[in-house]
Amino acid sequence: MSEQTPAPAALPDYAERVLEAAERIPPGRVMTYGDVAEWLEEGGPRQVGRVMALYGGAVPWWRVVRADGVPLPGSERRALEHYRAEGTPLRESTAGPRLDMRRARWDGPDGGRGLSHT
């Protein structure tokens, strides 16, 4: 284990659930921070963002995004490499490539009605 990734037992329950949700998003699709919080029926976009900032390196972090579709500042190049490799829908803007949220957004396996709390 690297120094940046805590042992699984050290993760708070909410963080484990956020990371599980990120792992369930299929390649080529994304969920917003708010989508993940709604799916988990707990917390909000800021709480999900905090979990992803602290622990997200071990999961497909590029699939949990801002609602405006702009790649994560500071990680744009890496995220775009992942999006292109996975075929995630992108669109061009004056600021550069961004996610095509209407086509890339995923509602979850149950249509967005909550992730099991097991």
Side-chain angles (χ1 to χ4, degrees):
M1 270 280 146
S2 74
E3 291 179 17
Q4 295 177 343
T5 306
L11 287 176
D13 179 62
Y14 184 71
E16 285 184 25
R17 292 178 40 234
V18 167
L19 297 178
E20 177 187 339
E23 288 178 328
R24 294 177 75 177
I25 301 168
R29 303 300 297 273
V30 298
M31 292 181 87
T32 68
Y33 297 111
D35 291 340
V36 172
E38 187 176 321
W39 199 31
L40 295 174
E41 300 174 337
E42 184 179 350
R46 289 179 188 255
Q47 289 83 7
V48 171
R50 181 75 175 146
V51 169
M52 294 304 294
L54 291 174
Y55 310 109
V59 299
W61 54 267
W62 58 92
R63 296 182 192 152
V64 181
V65 301
R66 295 170 25 164
D68 63 6
V70 174
L72 187 65
S75 299
E76 299 95 340
R77 195 179 84 219
R78 287 185 9 214
L80 286 169
E81 288 172 3
H82 288 291
Y83 299 143
R84 288 183 175 124
E86 293 182 354
T88 308
L90 299 171
R91 63 182 180 86
E92 288 299 322
S93 73
T94 55
R98 62 175 20 178
L99 292 158
D100 183 339
M101 293 301 290
R102 288 186 356 168
R103 292 176 36 223
R105 202 170 199 166
W106 188 61
D107 287 335
D110 56 2
R113 289 182 297 277
L115 180 64
S116 169
H117 295 282
T118 58

